[in-house]
Amino acid sequence: MITGTGRAACHHGEIVQGVFLDRRGRPRRGLVTLPMAAPVTEAVFTPLPGTPAHRVDVHPVGRAKAARAAALAVAECATRRAAVCGGTLRLRGGVPTGLGLGSSTSDVTAAIRAVCAGFGVDPSPATVARIAVAAEGASDPIMWEGGRALLFAQREGRVLEDLGAPLPPMVVVGCLTGGGAPVNTLALRIRVDRREAAVHERLRAALRVALAVGDAAEVGRIGTESAILNQRVLPKPELGTIKDVARLCGAVGVQVAHSGNVAGVLFDARVDDLGARIDTALERLRGEGLTPTRVFSTPHPTHGETTWTTTCARPLADRT
């Protein structure tokens, strides 16, 4: 047993979320996450021999989902090796809760990785996802790090489809909606039936094609349509304004946290006047009374990760 460490990134809501068909033709809730390379949650697990295996003290206190995930990870490790014990888990970083940025999944994934590292266990992404869903009730697929877009059943912890390619190079100007009020994700009610699936399967097919050819404009259109459809689940009064800003500054579309209060204006990262378009978006968002939060690029194997320096009025504070 050694001190184990784990890290996990957050995300910025989704490109698509809704109801999709699995391989057996059954309707399932699913999503395609919009990943961020930073900020991250960092976790350190210190095994304490003699401590009951179910006891993991988490600091700072209050990160109950991470505590459940750590205990479940210890139990998972117990099935793979003879001796395990409880210990202490320390977390730092991450993002504010309830905004749809994956704060819980980032905590939980980092915790699972740290505990498993402490016992010399290397869990598969599918195993991490299974534990994450058991700990928090729903999860995003941030434990898969290959960069390819996944259609993921967030309440089952399984991949419905590997869409075959990453998102094209895009830049996102994020902003708050709903005054930044937290949203209880698990309390949202989504109709899960074939009528809903028929609508979202069309978006799934279009997204698959757009990713194959790296078409940022089509990804932006799909994100916008999914955001509009989600108004029936979690209405965002500001969505019309954000769409207008996107149109006026030459963006390809918008996206939202379908179960949180952030949204993003989407740009093709390959346009020549990208910086001017971003500045225009920031200015117009502020002019409409919306709070810009961050500007980031989607991770992409051929373009890397770009760090954008902006004058956002209120960057989302990392947790400590």
Side-chain angles (χ1 to χ4, degrees), residues 1-319:
M1 292 180 285
I2 61 173
T3 296
T5 61
R7 290 167 54 92
C10 302
H11 62 87
H12 200 269
E14 295 79 35
I15 292 293
V16 170
Q17 182 168 321
V19 178
F20 303 88
L21 300 179
D22 66 10
R23 292 181 180 179
R24 297 174 61 182
R26 300 171 300 182
R28 292 289 185 264
R29 297 181 184 186
L31 54 80
V32 177
T33 293
L34 177 59
M36 294 192 295
V40 300
T41 298
E42 298 176 337
V44 177
F45 175 69
T46 304
L48 298 176
T51 303
H54 66 274
R55 181 175 175 180
V56 179
D57 293 326
V58 177
H59 304 275
V61 297
R63 312 265 278 254
K65 294 177 181 178
R68 288 197 295 271
L72 289 169
V74 173
E76 177 69 24
C77 292
T79 68
R80 307 192 188 197
R81 54 174 292 145
V84 296
C85 61
T88 300
L89 180 75
R90 297 188 180 276
L91 300 168
R92 65 184 299 270
V95 291
T97 61
L99 293 178
L101 295 169
S103 59
S104 295
T105 300
S106 181
D107 280 2
V108 162
T109 300
I112 295 167
R113 287 172 169 169
V115 169
C116 289
F119 294 118
V121 172
D122 184 17
S124 68
T127 297
V128 176
R130 172 173 54 79
I131 298 172
V133 171
E136 61 170 330
S139 171
D140 287 88
I142 62 172
M143 55 288 298
W144 276 271
E145 296 182 321
R148 292 152 72 104
L150 303 175
L151 178 62
F152 186 72
Q154 69 268 31
R155 297 204 177 189
E156 301 173 49
R158 65 187 179 99
V159 176
L160 295 175
E161 181 184 355
D162 181 335
L163 292 167
L167 293 172
M170 302 174 77
V171 171
V172 185
V173 177
C175 66
L176 293 176
T177 62
V183 174
N184 183 355
T185 300
L186 296 179
L188 296 175
R189 294 289 177 256
I190 302 173
R191 189 173 65 190
V192 183
D193 58 31
R194 291 186 179 277
R195 288 174 294 175
E196 286 293 303
V199 174
H200 293 103
E201 280 294 309
R202 175 174 53 80
L203 294 182
R204 174 186 188 172
L207 182 59
R208 188 187 302 118
V209 173
L211 295 179
V213 297
D215 188 342
E218 178 66 357
V219 172
R221 185 197 68 76
I222 293 165
T224 302
E225 184 172 352
S226 187
I228 294 169
L229 290 170
N230 196 63
Q231 292 289 79
R232 296 174 293 178
V233 178
L234 181 61
K236 298 182 186 299
E238 309 93 338
L239 182 59
T241 299
I242 297 169
K243 286 168 53 187
D244 288 342
V245 169
R247 176 177 55 82
L248 292 169
C249 62
V252 296
V254 303
Q255 60 81 220
V256 300
H258 290 67
S259 56
N261 267 328
V262 293
V265 179
L266 302 174
F267 292 90
D268 186 336
R270 297 161 292 194
V271 297
D272 293 335
D273 58 345
L274 178 59
R277 298 188 192 200
I278 292 172
D279 289 341
T280 300
L282 291 167
E283 180 181 354
R284 288 187 177 276
L285 287 170
R286 293 191 186 103
E288 295 289 347
L290 293 167
T291 302
T293 52
R294 57 174 24 92
V295 179
F296 67 96
S297 61
T298 57
H300 193 277
T302 61
H303 286 74
E305 173 74 14
T306 303
T307 300
W308 294 88
T309 301
T310 72
T311 55
C312 290
R314 181 184 157 207
L316 292 175
D318 293 352
R319 297 180 297 174

